Amino acid sequence: MKTTGMIIEYNPLHCGHLYLVEEVRGQLGQDTAVIGVMSGDFVQRGDFAIVRRQARAKAAVESGVDLVLELPLPWATGSAERFADGGIRILEATGVVDHLAFGSECGDAAVLQRVAAVLCSGEFSQVLKEKLAEGVSFASARQRAVDCLTDSEAAAVLESPNNILGVEYCKSLLRNHSRIQPMTVKRKGTSYHGTELVEQIPSATLLRELIRKGERSLALEQMAPAMRSAYEEEERAGRAPVLLKTCERAILARLRSMSEEEFAALDESREGLYHRMYEASRTAASLEEILDAAKTKRYAYARLRRMVLWAWLGMPPADCPAEIPYIRVLAANETGRELLGRMRKSASVPVVTKPQHVRRLGPEAQTLFSLEARAADLYALAYPDLSAAAGGSLWREGPVIR
């Protein structure tokens, strides 16, 4: 049995995601097992997931994914490079994954691997510095540097978000000397950031925007059937939709109470970005105002949003673990349970199926799980019904078994 890994958010799960799973099995065989490494309650763009991890994991195993493993918070809310590296490390640590599957705008794994090799080369860093000195954004400088070292056709893949993430996956596979082989499926339908429906295949961005605008029925129509059911179940329980806006005043209060030194601890680049955010937080009356005031040509909004989220969660990058100390199971079907049986022999780190198991692990694992538990409690404060937001949920809930 072949086993394919995917690094996912499913925020929310829609027919484009189902198409990727179908294509994987169409190319590798219908008996191919699929493992998804999924973000928890917070996602890479520095935002709250629209519904909690358990609901999305349940929808995943009801939609063709056999086993859902959690991408730990420090990697789930990191840069594209850190996000990709965390997912690859977990898939590699299972000891059972043969392929990595992902969608991309180009649909060409070879060209993505070629660009990844350039980005990992010794020459790239120097050329990148030269391009950054021209005063352009990091994204533009990176693309120009790749153009210098390869050709414009290869460099052009860095213009599209799913291509960029695919390149990061390939970089991580190279750096980790992984035996996992990348495969990509050409993305169809609405673009990653698109807010207009194309070919009846939405983007997750579009669905979240519809929910934020109150167009709930239209959003539900475009979700995968299992995701629609899970979302409605969360609604009835008072736990959906989960929107950052609900906690905006609390987040502003956190930012205003922080010292400049605490902001500095969130700034990985150490290039003064933290000072702009600190100054903006003293006077701004909304998160949008803070982001607009701190934004520069060099840094994307997603980076600023992640810094705000880290502040809210009390998670400075320096406090995050260097290694992933365990694999946590979120959901499994029958095939997933078979994979877990294999992983108990092949995995290079402990496999956690019950929260209590963490107490048997080392201090690094316990520190990470405590961070996850605290973040889950803060996430719950954004539930529409505050009476549903009791703390301690992560210690009470085990995986979804179908």
Side-chain angles (χ1 to χ4, degrees):
M1 178 174 64
K2 294 177 182 176
T3 303
T4 295
M6 296 180 180
I7 303 169
I8 58 179
E9 288 189 325
Y10 286 178
N11 185 35
L13 175 61
H14 56 71
C15 58
H17 297 127
L18 299 182
Y19 171 73
L20 176 58
V21 175
E22 291 166 1
E23 281 294 299
V24 166
R25 291 198 168 108
Q27 293 183 34
L28 298 180
Q30 293 302 313
D31 63 344
T32 299
V34 176
I35 297 177
V37 179
M38 193 186 80
S39 304
D41 293 331
F42 297 94
V43 293
Q44 195 267 333
R45 60 188 297 274
D47 203 355
F48 293 50
I50 204 77
V51 291
R52 65 197 181 112
R53 74 192 86 199
Q54 289 87 354
R56 289 164 25 246
K58 178 174 181 264
V61 295
E62 292 177 353
S63 301
V65 177
D66 298 301
L67 177 64
V68 182
L69 309 174
E70 184 172 51
L71 180 60
L73 184 66
W75 287 268
T77 61
S79 64
E81 182 177 53
R82 186 168 175 81
F83 175 88
D85 197 52
I88 296 298
R89 288 195 200 186
I90 289 177
L91 291 174
E92 186 70 31
T94 66
V96 300
V97 175
D98 309 301
H99 295 84
L100 171 73
F102 55 91
S104 66
E105 288 84 1
C106 70
D108 186 342
V111 71
L112 297 177
Q113 287 176 288
R114 183 152 64 96
V115 173
V118 170
L119 295 177
C120 290
S121 69
E123 305 144 292
F124 173 73
S125 296
Q126 181 57 42
V127 179
L128 177 64
K129 287 179 183 177
E130 294 169 4
K131 298 305 175 184
L132 284 170
E134 297 173 2
V136 298
S137 69
F138 176 82
S140 295
R142 178 179 57 184
Q143 185 173 342
R144 292 182 188 185
V146 171
D147 194 352
C148 287
L149 296 171
T150 52
D151 55 70
S152 55
E153 183 179 355
V157 303
L158 293 172
E159 296 174 358
S160 304
N162 286 107
N163 285 345
I164 292 170
L165 199 50
V167 167
E168 294 297 343
Y169 294 149
C170 293
K171 279 173 56 183
S172 182
L173 290 171
L174 284 171
R175 284 197 304 263
N176 288 287
H177 306 289
S178 177
R179 64 177 182 79
I180 297 172
Q181 295 298 307
M183 61 177 292
T184 188
V185 173
K186 188 173 178 62
R187 186 185 174 98
K188 295 172 64 175
T190 307
S191 65
Y192 181 83
H193 294 300
T195 55
E196 297 293 332
L197 186 62
V198 177
E199 297 179 359
Q200 297 304 304
I201 298 179
S203 65
T205 301
L206 170 59
L207 298 185
R208 293 193 302 270
E209 187 61 24
L210 289 172
I211 289 169
R212 289 190 182 99
K213 293 185 337 189
E215 298 182 44
R216 169 190 174 277
S217 297
L218 187 55
L220 287 174
E221 288 174 10
Q222 303 298 330
M223 290 182 192
M227 185 75 253
R228 186 184 313 130
S229 297
Y231 184 90
E232 290 174 331
E233 183 178 335
E234 292 298 294
E235 270 189 328
R236 289 191 294 271
R239 296 190 296 256
V242 181
L243 304 173
L244 182 150
K245 190 75 177 174
T246 308
C247 286
E248 183 170 21
R249 288 194 179 192
I251 295 171
L252 288 171
R254 167 65 180 151
L255 296 178
R256 284 198 185 180
S257 68
M258 289 170 59
S259 67
E260 189 166 5
E261 290 73 21
E262 288 175 306
F263 273 93
L266 302 172
D267 189 357
E268 292 179 294
S269 69
R270 298 295 181 181
E271 295 178 358
L273 180 60
Y274 73 89
H275 181 72
R276 298 174 66 89
M277 289 196 71
Y278 170 75
E279 291 293 334
S281 71
R282 304 301 94 176
T283 57
S286 71
L287 290 177
E288 185 177 2
E289 286 181 34
I290 291 176
L291 298 177
D292 286 342
K295 179 78 175 73
T296 68
K297 181 168 64 173
R298 185 160 176 174
Y299 300 113
Y301 276 111
R303 181 170 184 171
L304 300 174
R305 286 195 297 265
R306 285 194 292 271
M307 287 178 67
V308 168
L309 183 61
W310 297 340
W312 166 241
L313 299 177
M315 192 178 74
D319 289 352
C320 295
E323 303 295 334
I324 295 175
Y326 56 76
I327 296 172
R328 181 169 180 245
V329 180
L330 294 181
N333 60 17
E334 185 175 352
T335 299
R337 294 198 297 275
E338 292 177 17
L339 288 169
L340 284 173
R342 291 169 55 193
M343 284 167 55
R344 295 195 187 285
K345 299 177 181 178
S346 64
S348 59
V349 296
V351 177
V352 174
T353 53
K354 295 181 179 180
Q356 295 84 348
H357 291 169
V358 176
R359 302 188 192 279
R360 306 172 190 166
L361 304 181
E364 191 172 68
Q366 294 188 41
T367 297
L368 176 60
F369 197 85
S370 294
L371 171 63
E372 297 273 9
R374 183 176 76 230
D377 289 347
L378 291 172
Y379 174 85
L381 295 177
Y383 289 164
D385 183 354
L386 196 56
S387 68
S393 63
L394 210 65
W395 290 104
R396 294 191 300 269
E397 295 178 330
V400 177
I401 305 297
R402 308 306 294 174

